[in-house]
Amino acid sequence: MNENRRTRSGHTDHSHPRRRLAMAVTAAAAALALTVGTAASLPAVAASHASTIAASQSAIPFTGQPTDPGQEGGQSSGPGQGNGGQDGSNGITPGNGTAPGGNAQSPDTGQGSDGSSQQDASPASTEESTGVVLIDTELGYENAEAAGTGIVLSKDGLVLTNNHVIADSTKISVTVATTGKTYEASVVGSDSTEDVAVLQLKGASDLQPATVDDDSVTVGDDVTAVGNSEGQGQLQAADGTVTDLGASVTTTAQGSEDSETLNNMIQVQADIVSGDSGGALLDDEGEVVGMNTAASSGSATVTGFAIPIESALSTAESIIDGEQTSTNTLGYPAFLGIGVQQDSQNGQSSQSGQGSQSIQPGDGSSNGQSGQPSQSGSSSQAAGAVVAGVYEDTPAAEAGLTAGDTITRIGSTQITDGTALSEAIAEHKPGDTVSLSWTDANGQTHSAKVTLTEGPAA
């Protein structure tokens, strides 16, 4: 089977902002039905939104060892970011779509992230756009932007989207497609295993939620995928057919995101492309039956995958209710503000856990999978998490940590490597004060109390 990509759009060139569209549904499933129509009444402000997005904030300076330049641009393409120097056969991962090299495909080219054009789609009608929002994120620690789609869950601004749409973000803006009004959003919670996230729009009221299907979807049903295709800032609608239920899809690893397998998906033959992540899969009555999440690449016929809406809502409801599970993160994770050196034992960068405690130097990826830090001095370091660099104005910087230091303990927890450090920090919340012990490059020991801050979205 062809490789599969997540359909979030992202890139690092601020002269060509990208966006995601998000569509949300009311928890009570009471809303105006979405129907097919023309795009003539879509407000101009919504259609032109992509060109008016403010530039992302500059990356927070990172002092530490550089990444290996040979790693940039040579990986599978992130959702909507362009192919990073690869050919069209590479799948796009369920990732954050941010290549440090800034080689993302410009959103105004009309081309897909694998170099192909989206042929079988047209501008979404007002009815299809009702309850759908465009999501723009800034990834401040990566000096990048990304875009996607979401589904409105409530009149007061609860929005459902994919976790990978908002992962690693430091700022989220959400625009209602039918009105063009933009809101700042915060993360209520996210679940990377289920690829579900819930946002809260600040100051929102009287929004029109989408209508959730109350019937069962079956193979052969006609469906329409609505999303912020190619991050162009205008909703597109791609018609298709349900070809399988209970499908499993494994996405390709890229950037800061690992490969991931999602089960019990709705499989459709529809032209789903980058930027459609978090968007609505509508049935022939215009009701939401799924949330667009991934698609195949490398072939003329696109196979799309959507999370069944009842499954997505089940995960969303536990987040909204504040139910802590083994896989979700409520709100934002605690953050120390460092990059950790590659674990020499397995040749892989250590995992950060809870999204960004351990940030890979150079690209700021939250789980340190992108790039290869220099190995100089790593073999002589004591057991612990070797600091590859420190972001300015973070708890780590205030404590005096520098590149080359080795963190050996947090509180009563012994730290053996970067993964252990991430797991230890993940046990805390922003605002927690913890004791930190480390050894510098000269072998001198240090300790300090640090107050963890709020990190990028998990």
Side-chain angles (χ1 to χ4, degrees), residues 91-164:
I92 298 181
T93 119
N96 60 23
T98 54
N103 49 13
Q105 182 106 25
S106 171
D108 57 4
T109 61
Q111 289 191 324
S113 55
D114 59 0
S116 61
S117 297
Q118 186 185 28
Q119 303 291 342
D120 301 324
S122 59
S125 68
T126 301
E127 290 81 6
E128 290 170 324
S129 302
T130 301
V132 179
V133 294
L134 304 110
I135 302 177
D136 291 293
T137 65
E138 295 178 7
L139 294 80
Y141 290 96
E142 300 177 25
N143 194 24
E145 295 173 334
T149 311
I151 303 167
V152 177
L153 296 176
S154 67
K155 291 183 177 181
D156 61 355
L158 285 174
V159 169
L160 175 72
T161 190
N162 285 131
N163 177 71
H164 74 263

Side-chain angles (χ1 to χ4, degrees), residues 129 156 162 186 254 270-271 298-299 331 363 396 404 410 422 432 447 450:
S129 302
D156 61 355
N162 285 131
S186 60
Q254 187 275 333
D271 200 1
S299 65
D363 65 13
I410 287 186
S422 297
D432 285 356
S447 63
V450 298

Side-chain angles (χ1 to χ4, degrees), residues 172-232:
I172 304 172
S173 298
V174 175
T175 300
V176 178
T178 53
T179 66
K181 187 171 183 179
T182 300
Y183 300 86
E184 182 181 351
S186 60
V187 178
V188 178
S190 59
D191 191 318
S192 60
T193 302
E194 301 298 330
D195 202 1
V196 169
V198 178
L199 308 179
Q200 174 65 62
L201 310 190
K202 298 181 180 179
S205 61
D206 296 325
L207 299 185
Q208 180 61 66
T211 300
V212 179
D213 178 56
D214 56 4
D215 301 320
S216 297
V217 63
T218 61
V219 173
D221 284 355
D222 293 331
V223 290
T224 300
V226 179
N228 182 22
S229 305
E230 309 300 350
Q232 296 184 75

Side-chain angles (χ1 to χ4, degrees), residues 38-418:
T38 67
S41 60
L42 188 65
V45 65
S48 63
H49 179 69
S51 63
T52 61
I53 302 172
S56 171
Q57 65 187 47
S58 298
I60 296 176
F62 184 93
T63 304
Q65 299 171 2
T67 55
D68 179 355
Q71 294 295 318
E72 294 186 1
Q75 302 180 21
S76 298
S77 165
Q81 75 181 51
N83 56 20
Q86 302 277 346
D87 61 27
S89 64
N90 286 307
I92 298 181
T93 119
N96 60 23
T98 54
N103 49 13
Q105 182 106 25
S106 171
D108 57 4
T109 61
Q111 289 191 324
S113 55
D114 59 0
S116 61
S117 297
Q118 186 185 28
Q119 303 291 342
D120 301 324
S122 59
S125 68
T126 301
E127 290 81 6
E128 290 170 324
S129 302
T130 301
V132 179
V133 294
L134 304 110
I135 302 177
D136 291 293
T137 65
E138 295 178 7
L139 294 80
Y141 290 96
E142 300 177 25
N143 194 24
E145 295 173 334
T149 311
I151 303 167
V152 177
L153 296 176
S154 67
K155 291 183 177 181
D156 61 355
L158 285 174
V159 169
L160 175 72
T161 190
N162 285 131
N163 177 71
H164 74 263
V165 166
I166 54 88
D168 301 334
S169 62
T170 53
K171 184 177 181 180
I172 304 172
S173 298
V174 175
T175 300
V176 178
T178 53
T179 66
K181 187 171 183 179
T182 300
Y183 300 86
E184 182 181 351
S186 60
V187 178
V188 178
S190 59
D191 191 318
S192 60
T193 302
E194 301 298 330
D195 202 1
V196 169
V198 178
L199 308 179
Q200 174 65 62
L201 310 190
K202 298 181 180 179
S205 61
D206 296 325
L207 299 185
Q208 180 61 66
T211 300
V212 179
D213 178 56
D214 56 4
D215 301 320
S216 297
V217 63
T218 61
V219 173
D221 284 355
D222 293 331
V223 290
T224 300
V226 179
N228 182 22
S229 305
E230 309 300 350
Q232 296 184 75
Q234 180 176 350
L235 292 177
Q236 296 285 312
D239 293 333
T241 305
V242 175
T243 57
D244 194 11
L245 300 175
S248 294
V249 57
T250 299
T251 58
T252 54
Q254 187 275 333
S256 68
E257 297 290 337
D258 293 330
S259 174
E260 182 178 37
T261 298
L262 297 171
N263 299 312
N264 301 315
M265 303 282 280
I266 301 172
Q267 179 177 306
V268 299
Q269 185 174 324
D271 200 1
I272 295 175
V273 297
S274 62
D276 287 341
S277 283
L281 185 68
L282 307 176
D283 63 13
D284 58 4
E285 296 179 328
E287 298 178 341
V288 181
V289 296
M291 180 167 63
N292 305 327
T293 299
S296 65
S297 64
S299 65
T301 302
V302 176
T303 300
F305 299 89
I307 300 172
I309 193 60
E310 60 270 18
S311 297
L313 286 176
S314 177
T315 302
E317 287 168 1
S318 66
I319 290 172
I320 294 169
D321 291 341
E323 179 185 344
Q324 184 71 66
T325 70
S326 60
T327 58
N328 71 14
T329 299
L330 301 179
Y332 291 85
F335 183 61
L336 181 59
I338 66 168
V340 293
Q341 198 172 89
Q342 180 187 41
D343 289 341
S344 59
Q345 297 92 324
N346 55 20
Q348 296 293 323
S349 301
S350 62
Q351 300 291 318
S352 68
Q354 297 297 325
S356 35
Q357 289 82 355
S358 308
I359 299 185
Q360 187 68 26
D363 65 13
S365 301
S366 66
N367 64 8
Q369 291 298 310
S370 176
Q372 299 287 335
S374 168
Q375 296 300 300
S376 59
S378 61
S379 60
S380 62
Q381 293 287 348
V386 180
V387 177
V390 178
Y391 286 100
E392 292 183 0
D393 301 320
T394 63
E398 294 173 4
L401 283 164
T402 61
D405 290 346
T406 301
I407 298 176
T408 57
R409 184 178 294 274
I410 287 186
S412 60
T413 303
Q414 186 74 33
I415 303 301
T416 56
D417 55 23

